[in-house]
Amino acid sequence: MSLLIILCLLVYGLAMLFILFYSIAQAHLLYRFRQVRKQGKTPAPPTPDVWPPVTVQLPVYNEKYVVERLIDAAAALDYPADKLEIQLLDDSDDETTSIIRGKITEYPHLNLQHIRRPDRSGFKAGALKYGLALAQGEFIAIFDADFTPQPSFLKQTIPYFANTKLGMVQTRWTHLNTDYSILTRLQALALDAHFFIEQVGRNSQHAFINFNGTGGVWRKTTILDAGNWQDDTLTEDLDLSYRAQLKGWQFLYLPEVESPAELPPVMSALKSQQFRWTKGGAESAVKHLGTVLSSGKPLQTKLHALAHLLNSAVFVAVLLASLASIPLLWAKVNHQLSSTAFEIGKMLLLGFMVISLVYFQANALGKATGRNRVVGFVLYYPLFLSVSMGMALHNAVAVWEGWTGRKSPFIRTPKFNLEARQHTWQENFYLHLKMPFTTYLEGLLGLLFLAVAAWSVTQGEYVMLIFHSMLAVGYLLVFYHSVRSYKHT
């Protein structure tokens, strides 16, 4: 056996072992979720005699398509007007600013402040920190520009802060445009697994959970005690969440409270969002993992934090395993590698089956009923898994940059306001992102895995046919939709 084959076997085995570890953590979260479901809902706390002052922060940067909808939703919040402060944290350099100025005149009875900073330093984290210094509220609710909080949001969340140790309440994202396209359906499937299973599973065992950047409420003193908003990672929400919980603050996740939002309808917008999330997650892992593992937290909490902070590394594992599998397949065909290695590989693939159960459970909790749930899952899940694999190169680059400390600017995700198909995404003024070089590599990888799958059939070797076929489909779909979305910029 050659040194190259041994090296590929080692890389493939380690990558699959990491995926197996991650899947075991997911299986435990699924178990915890099902236990919580059996127990039923925890009774809501009583309504306070006097509602505390609340500041609603709306960080905005060039959001002309959605900012009026955002302001209307914030203005409709059912909360005593004399206790409510709404901050439009406007960093825009386009017509969004004039739209805001005109819109807020429609609500003269509200304390609606249009706040402009001298510069955009720190991006979203900088805007939130700047607004916090001016905020009069005891509690801080935050909504991104594409969110439309329900009127009852504050009255559903604020009473829980009667627990003086509670630092943050996160609610469940729902989706305004799930049915817009296949791409939005696949994103909904992924996000529902996080918001139904992962957040509930972690919170039920007092493990670290994260504020999701929007659709949540913070106790102001918690933010300050944890060191305020910081801009040294691209996921300022995850960073602050770990700092606060390491300081001893409790977090609460409320899956029954919904926060509707828009899903990116095109690949270029999705990629900008995914790059920020995965790179920021990697940066947060570098920043916090050592502290978490050396803390006095229980071993189970540490293991879940390890899986949580390294979840973006799954893309690195998939990329490495897929590339290593090609010479391994060649070695097997040429009788240079025992089939035993592939039998072990099959056992490690059980990790993918466990992860599939998590997504199946999340899908079962969606709006579809009965047979439609099963049919929808059977149709969309294989495609979801393929596209996720096809994102491996793009997201692995983001993870590597995060691990190695390479800095990059905060690239916002363009918002569209495409509900009911009233507009087309091609008309969006903000689709000006330059197509990255990795897009061409995605196309080449798609062709490579297609050729490998075809070659394996000619050799009568089917052990990795499904894996390579899904990689081919995933990379080619990501490449096609990327070119299609970038070419209009």
Side-chain angles (χ1 to χ4, degrees), residues 2-23:
S2 70
L3 181 61
L4 175 62
I5 298 303
I6 293 175
L7 180 61
C8 288
L9 191 60
L10 181 63
V11 169
Y12 182 82
L14 290 175
M16 296 304 291
L17 279 172
F18 176 79
I19 293 173
L20 181 61
F21 160 73
Y22 178 74
S23 69

Side-chain angles (χ1 to χ4, degrees), residues 279-322:
K279 181 173 181 176
E283 290 172 328
S284 294
V286 172
K287 185 174 181 178
H288 295 297
L289 196 51
T291 305
V292 171
L293 295 179
S294 62
S295 70
K297 299 290 185 181
L299 178 60
Q300 183 171 293
T301 299
K302 292 180 180 180
L303 290 175
H304 274 293
L306 184 67
H308 187 197
L309 288 171
L310 293 180
N311 61 4
S312 57
V314 170
F315 293 105
V316 177
V318 169
L319 179 64
L320 292 176
S322 63

Side-chain angles (χ1 to χ4, degrees), residues 186 189 318 352-353 355-356 359 380-391 470-471 474:
L186 299 183
L189 180 62
V318 169
F352 285 106
M353 295 182 63
I355 293 173
S356 299
Y359 285 102
Y380 287 111
Y381 183 70
L383 186 59
F384 163 77
L385 201 55
S386 294
V387 172
S388 297
M389 290 179 177
M391 292 288 289
M470 293 181 72
L471 284 164

Side-chain angles (χ1 to χ4, degrees), residues 188-405:
L189 180 62
L191 288 171
D192 286 347
H194 171 70
F195 282 100
F196 275 122
I197 312 300
E198 294 179 348
Q199 290 284 61
V200 171
R202 292 189 184 110
N203 201 214
S204 69
Q205 55 188 308
H206 307 293
F208 288 89
I209 69 168
N210 60 295
F211 169 58
N212 292 106
T214 176
V217 184
W218 284 85
R219 188 186 297 272
K220 184 179 180 180
T221 53
T222 301
I223 300 175
L224 297 174
D225 181 57
N228 216 323
W229 296 103
Q230 298 175 8
D231 62 357
D232 55 344
T233 74
L234 291 180
T235 47
E236 73 292 325
D237 45 9
L238 178 62
D239 170 39
L240 180 59
S241 296
Y242 267 79
R243 284 189 278 119
Q245 288 168 102
L246 283 167
K247 292 279 286 187
W249 289 98
Q250 297 175 9
F251 280 17
L252 177 65
Y253 177 63
L254 297 177
E256 64 273 15
V257 181
E258 299 181 358
S259 293
E262 177 184 291
L263 295 164
V266 296
M267 186 60 72
S268 58
L270 174 61
K271 277 187 168 181
S272 69
Q273 182 187 74
Q274 287 288 306
F275 191 91
R276 190 175 68 250
W277 287 357
T278 51
K279 181 173 181 176
E283 290 172 328
S284 294
V286 172
K287 185 174 181 178
H288 295 297
L289 196 51
T291 305
V292 171
L293 295 179
S294 62
S295 70
K297 299 290 185 181
L299 178 60
Q300 183 171 293
T301 299
K302 292 180 180 180
L303 290 175
H304 274 293
L306 184 67
H308 187 197
L309 288 171
L310 293 180
N311 61 4
S312 57
V314 170
F315 293 105
V316 177
V318 169
L319 179 64
L320 292 176
S322 63
L323 293 175
S325 70
I326 297 175
L328 293 180
L329 181 63
W330 178 89
K332 185 175 188 298
V333 169
N334 289 276
H335 309 291
Q336 295 185 24
L337 185 64
S338 169
S339 59
T340 304
F342 287 87
E343 293 302 318
I344 295 174
K346 287 181 181 178
M347 293 175 61
L348 295 177
L349 285 172
L350 287 172
F352 285 106
M353 295 182 63
V354 171
I355 293 173
S356 299
L357 290 175
V358 171
Y359 285 102
F360 181 79
Q361 177 71 79
N363 179 76
L365 297 168
K367 292 183 179 179
T369 56
R371 189 169 127 191
N372 290 336
R373 288 179 179 171
V374 178
V375 172
F377 184 79
V378 170
L379 289 175
Y380 287 111
Y381 183 70
L383 186 59
F384 163 77
L385 201 55
S386 294
V387 172
S388 297
M389 290 179 177
M391 292 288 289
L393 174 63
H394 176 270
N395 287 347
V397 170
V399 173
W400 180 253
E401 288 190 7
W403 284 347
T404 57

Side-chain angles (χ1 to χ4, degrees), residues 117-225:
R117 294 193 289 161
D119 58 69
R120 200 181 167 225
S121 60
F123 305 104
K124 181 181 175 182
L128 294 172
K129 185 176 181 179
Y130 188 90
L132 189 68
L134 305 173
Q136 300 300 308
E138 181 181 349
F139 302 100
I140 311 295
I142 301 172
F143 298 102
D144 282 348
D146 55 331
F147 274 68
T148 57
Q150 298 179 345
S152 60
F153 179 89
L154 292 176
K155 288 190 173 179
Q156 287 181 292
T157 54
I158 293 298
Y160 288 92
F161 286 99
N163 173 9
T164 58
K165 296 181 180 179
L166 185 64
M168 193 278 297
V169 171
Q170 176 65 52
T171 65
R172 179 169 59 89
W173 293 8
T174 55
H175 321 296
L176 295 170
N177 59 335
T178 301
D179 297 325
Y180 181 79
S181 67
I182 290 178
L183 187 61
T184 54
R185 290 189 182 99
L186 299 183
Q187 291 176 74
L189 180 62
L191 288 171
D192 286 347
H194 171 70
F195 282 100
F196 275 122
I197 312 300
E198 294 179 348
Q199 290 284 61
V200 171
R202 292 189 184 110
N203 201 214
S204 69
Q205 55 188 308
H206 307 293
F208 288 89
I209 69 168
N210 60 295
F211 169 58
N212 292 106
T214 176
V217 184
W218 284 85
R219 188 186 297 272
K220 184 179 180 180
T221 53
T222 301
I223 300 175
L224 297 174
D225 181 57

Side-chain angles (χ1 to χ4, degrees), residues 417-470:
N417 196 3
L418 295 173
E419 296 95 306
R421 301 179 185 265
Q422 295 175 351
H423 309 281
T424 62
W425 61 263
Q426 292 91 341
E427 298 170 350
N428 191 292
F429 176 76
Y430 301 121
L431 277 178
H432 51 70
L433 299 172
K434 182 180 179 182
M435 187 165 75
F437 177 72
T438 51
T439 298
Y440 299 103
L441 294 181
E442 288 164 349
L444 291 175
L445 284 172
L447 294 176
L448 172 63
F449 285 111
L450 183 62
V452 170
W455 176 76
S456 66
V457 171
T458 64
Q459 299 299 313
E461 184 56 72
Y462 305 107
V463 67
M464 288 192 173
L465 179 60
I466 294 177
F467 183 45
H468 289 149
S469 297
M470 293 181 72

Side-chain angles (χ1 to χ4, degrees), residues 41-62:
K41 291 183 179 180
T42 302
T47 300
D49 294 330
V50 178
W51 290 100
V54 173
T55 297
V56 177
Q57 291 188 319
L58 309 175
V60 172
Y61 173 66
N62 293 355

